[in-house]
Amino acid sequence: MRKITAGLFISIDGVIGDPQDWHFPYFNDEMGVAVTAQLGTADTLLLGRETYDSFAGAWPEREAAGGEDAGMAAALGDARKIVVSHRTLEFQWRNSEQLQGDLVEAATALKQEPGATDIAMSGSPSIVRQLLAAGVLDELHLFVHPIAVGKGERLFGEGDTVPLRLLSSQTFATGVVYLVYGPGEALEGDYEQAKAHLEQAAD
């Protein structure tokens, strides 16, 4: 079975909205390797409409320009792109199609299809939240930037409780912490349990 992975740039205060306004100063070779491994090598992409529109408005031109990022642009263009939207869409970027039916059911079925790589997501926070809640998202890749943005859309809203399990971590030279999480289970405990650990540490 294939995995679904999601990658997001996130500030230290949990903002994922408008990363173009604060993210780029932290993009270095280390992040480039990690982003390419999660997104740039995938043969199938699952994207929300807004993320897709942003990609489609930029990457085809970058591929045609033949610059340093043309390889990444070509890889994204060659990938199968499945777009989630409630309205009927028309596409000009190659290999693009609209997801049909219920998101969770379709994503679950997509994981059963043959393919050479994981199914990758970028951005698309509403889809990430839905797939996490349904237990369908396998890996959440968070690039935590050492900056508090103060405003904008956050990955999780007030009242959300989403237990996760840390799979790996890496600190980049820029101070960005690259965290990969999988689905987790809520832990149980209370102050009495915590107090016992404090007492042990004091001995």
Side-chain angles (χ1 to χ4, degrees):
M1 180 187 296
R2 304 172 78 185
K3 295 188 298 184
I4 297 180
T5 72
L8 295 107
F9 303 129
I10 185 168
S11 69
I12 196 69
D13 56 342
V15 174
I16 46 88
D18 297 318
Q20 71 278 358
D21 295 339
W22 46 267
H23 152 70
F24 286 116
Y26 299 94
F27 202 106
N28 65 354
D29 289 345
E30 296 167 297
M31 188 180 292
V33 170
V35 169
T36 300
Q38 186 268 326
L39 181 68
T41 59
D43 62 12
T44 304
L45 306 179
L46 180 63
L47 304 169
R49 182 188 56 79
E50 291 185 7
T51 300
Y52 175 83
D53 286 348
S54 175
F55 277 26
W59 287 112
E61 293 181 3
R62 293 172 182 171
E63 181 179 1
E68 293 180 351
D69 56 357
M72 179 72 164
L76 295 176
D78 290 342
R80 178 189 181 192
K81 292 168 285 294
I82 304 170
V83 187
V84 182
S85 178
H86 294 297
R87 69 187 193 198
T88 302
L89 304 176
E90 295 183 0
F91 303 107
Q92 294 184 344
W93 197 13
R94 68 183 184 277
N95 301 323
S96 299
E97 63 189 81
Q98 186 163 356
L99 181 137
Q100 302 298 320
D102 176 78
L103 169 62
V104 172
E105 292 179 358
T108 301
L110 190 62
K111 294 169 68 170
Q112 306 292 335
E113 295 182 3
T117 71
D118 294 334
I119 300 157
M121 298 178 58
S122 177
S124 311
S126 65
I127 300 173
V128 170
R129 288 190 287 266
Q130 292 177 69
L131 296 185
L132 269 176
V136 177
L137 186 69
D138 298 284
E139 292 182 1
L140 178 62
H141 295 235
L142 296 179
F143 297 85
V144 184
H145 290 55
I147 183 173
V149 177
K151 63 179 180 179
E153 182 182 3
R154 285 171 165 76
L155 178 55
F156 300 112
E158 184 176 351
D160 287 342
T161 300
V162 184
L164 299 169
R165 177 171 60 94
L166 183 64
L167 301 178
S168 67
S169 63
Q170 180 182 355
T171 302
F172 298 156
T174 57
V176 170
V177 182
Y178 176 38
L179 304 173
V180 180
Y181 289 98
E185 296 182 358
L187 303 180
E188 295 184 359
D190 55 21
Y191 177 69
E192 292 302 317
Q193 177 180 331
K195 184 171 67 172
H197 292 294
L198 289 173
E199 292 171 349
Q200 291 176 10
D203 291 338

